[in-house]
Amino acid sequence: LSNPHLGVLLSFILILLYLMSVTKVSKVLHISNITHNISRFDILDEIEKLCPVKQVFILRPNNQALVELGSEEDAEMVSNYF
C-alpha cells in the first residue's frame, strides 16, 4: 500500500464482512477508526480499484468515513474483498 496507515483502514473494512453477514446490505459502507493521516482520496483510490465510488464523507471528530457506492452489489463486493 502506498500509505502505511491504509493498513489500519483496510483492517477495519474487514469488520464490514461481519456486519454485512448480520445486517441488510446497503450501498453505503461505514469505516471506523480511521487515523487523521487518511484522506478521502486515500479511501477513494483504494476502493475505486474495485468499483466506482459516488461519494466519500470523512467524519473527523468520530474517526469514521462513509463511502457511497453505486449499488448494494458493489458494496458487498468491496466488503468481501477487504
Side-chain angles (χ1 to χ4, degrees), residues 23-51:
T23 60
K24 182 180 183 283
V25 176
S26 170
K27 65 180 183 177
V28 177
L29 300 177
H30 172 258
I31 304 170
S32 60
N33 296 324
I34 61 170
T35 64
H36 68 278
N37 296 347
I38 300 294
S39 74
R40 65 183 294 276
F41 299 106
D42 293 326
I43 296 169
L44 189 64
D45 288 345
E46 287 302 311
I47 296 178
E48 280 196 330
K49 292 176 184 175
L50 302 172
C51 65

Side-chain angles (χ1 to χ4, degrees), residues 2-66:
S2 59
N3 183 331
H5 298 285
L6 285 178
V8 173
L9 169 67
L10 298 178
S11 68
F12 288 103
I13 291 176
L14 288 174
I15 294 171
L16 293 174
L17 285 173
Y18 171 75
L19 294 175
M20 298 288 278
S21 69
V22 296
T23 60
K24 182 180 183 283
V25 176
S26 170
K27 65 180 183 177
V28 177
L29 300 177
H30 172 258
I31 304 170
S32 60
N33 296 324
I34 61 170
T35 64
H36 68 278
N37 296 347
I38 300 294
S39 74
R40 65 183 294 276
F41 299 106
D42 293 326
I43 296 169
L44 189 64
D45 288 345
E46 287 302 311
I47 296 178
E48 280 196 330
K49 292 176 184 175
L50 302 172
C51 65
V53 174
K54 286 191 168 196
Q55 297 184 53
V56 175
F57 295 101
I58 299 237
L59 308 164
R60 277 291 166 215
N62 300 331
N63 296 328
Q64 299 175 357
L66 299 174

